[in-house]
Amino acid sequence: MGIIKVKDLIFEYIRRDEEGNVEGITTAVDNVSLDVSQGDFVAILGHNGSGKSTLAKHLNAILYPTEGTVWVDGKDTQKDEYIWDIRQTAGMVFQNPDNQIIGQIVEEDVGFGPENMGVPTKEIWERVDESLKAVGMYEFRHYSPNKLSGGQKQRVSIAGVIAMHPKCIILDEPTAMLDPKGRREVIRAVRALNDVERITVILITHYMEEVIYADKVFVMDQGKITLQGTPREVFSKVERLKALRLDVPQVTLLAHELRQEGFPMPEGVLTKEEFRVALDNCVNKLF
Ligand code: ADP
Ligand code: MG
C-alpha cells in the first residue's frame, strides 16, 4: 500500500435547517480511488468546486468519508487513535499564508509545530534551521513575517509543516494568492522538497504550468477523477481539458493548434524547450 490510499471515497456535505432537517446534500467527492507511492509528486487539477479541497481534507483527517476508506501510511483515518499520527505524517499547507503564520518572528513560527509535538528544544532549533534552509528562507529567520512577500510567507508556512518531519505534504492551491515571482519561488521550493528530501508531494492547483514536473496528474470534475496520467498524457488531451474549463499551458496549446493545421507537431508538449525542439523537427520535415 502507498503512503496514501483512497478507496471508493464518497463525501457528502449535508445542509440542515434550524430544526436540523436535511435541506440539501452536495456530493463533493464522488467515488474517488487513488494510490500515492512514497516519494511521488502528484498534482490534482480541477476548476472551482470540483472537490479538490474536500478530497485534500480527507488526507489528513480534517474530514472523514461518508463512504469508502482513506489510509495514510497504512492507517485508516476514521480511527480516532491514529489522528495525531496521521496529521504528523501528512502535513497540510493552505492557500492563504496569513492564516497559517502565527509567530511574530519567522524562526519562532516554524518552531511551533515541533514544539507542540514535544520535540526537545535543541532538536526544535535544528529542525527550524534545516526547514528554513530547505525552502530558501534561512536568511529571513529573524524577520517579522509581516515584512515578507506573499511567496516568502508561503515558504515559511511550508517550513513550518516540514519541521514536523511529515512523510507527505499536501498543498491546497498554495500559489493562488501569489504573484508570478512568488509562485515560482514556492513551486521551486516544493520541487526541492520532493527531489532532495524525498517528501511525497500532493499539489492542488489550477495553474497548469505547475504540474508539468509531477509524476502523476489527476484531474477532477464534479467530485470525480475524470482524467489521470503523466503530465504528457494529460496535456495531450487539449480539447478535453478545455471542455473541463482548464487552461492548457501556452506552448502545449500552440503545438496542438499547429498540429490541427496539419503541421507535424506532437501532442503533449510541456515546456518552451520541448516546443523549440519540436518546431525545429517540424521545420526540418517540411523544408
Ligand atoms: P474545490 O476545492 O475544487 O474548489 P471544494 O472541495 O471546495 O472544491 O467543493 C466541492 C463542492 O462542495 C462544491 O460544490 C462546494 O460548493 C461544496 N462545498 C465545499 N465546502 C462546503 C461546505 N463547507 N459546506 C457545504 N458545501 C460545501
Ligand atoms: Mg479548493
Side-chain angles (χ1 to χ4, degrees), residues 77 84 89 102 121 202 213 236 270:
T77 61
W84 295 111
T89 304
I102 35 179
T121 310
I202 299 181
Y213 307 104
S236 295
L270 297 177

Side-chain angles (χ1 to χ4, degrees), residues 94-114:
F94 297 94
Q95 200 173 85
N96 188 346
D98 289 328
N99 298 342
Q100 297 171 79
I101 295 182
I102 35 179
Q104 302 294 312
I105 303 289
V106 163
E107 60 181 4
E108 175 196 15
D109 185 81
V110 175
F112 275 138

Side-chain angles (χ1 to χ4, degrees), residues 13 26 28 47-54 173:
Y13 288 106
T26 305
H47 62 77
N48 279 340
S50 57
K52 305 181 299 297
S53 294
T54 305
E173 303 206 32

Side-chain angles (χ1 to χ4, degrees), residues 2-16:
I3 179 83
I4 287 188
K5 186 172 168 72
V6 175
K7 188 163 188 303
D8 307 330
L9 174 64
I10 294 177
F11 183 81
E12 295 171 342
Y13 288 106
I14 297 176
R15 281 187 309 284
R16 292 176 191 276

Side-chain angles (χ1 to χ4, degrees), residues 83-143:
I83 187 160
W84 295 111
D85 274 355
I86 287 171
R87 298 230 171 119
Q88 195 196 318
T89 304
M92 187 102 167
V93 175
F94 297 94
Q95 200 173 85
N96 188 346
D98 289 328
N99 298 342
Q100 297 171 79
I101 295 182
I102 35 179
Q104 302 294 312
I105 303 289
V106 163
E107 60 181 4
E108 175 196 15
D109 185 81
V110 175
F112 275 138
E115 191 180 353
N116 283 337
M117 286 163 55
V119 173
T121 310
K122 180 168 169 289
E123 194 189 331
I124 293 176
W125 290 113
E126 288 165 7
R127 289 189 184 202
V128 167
D129 286 359
E130 86 196 2
S131 305
L132 284 169
K133 283 176 187 162
V135 297
M137 286 297 292
Y138 184 68
E139 311 92 282
F140 296 91
R141 64 193 179 283
H142 301 309
Y143 276 52

Side-chain angles (χ1 to χ4, degrees), residues 215-234:
D215 296 304
K216 185 144 196 210
V217 179
F218 294 93
V219 182
M220 289 189 75
D221 183 47
Q222 296 186 346
K224 295 182 196 302
I225 290 176
T226 181
L227 207 56
Q228 58 179 295
T230 63
R232 199 177 306 286
E233 285 162 356
V234 168

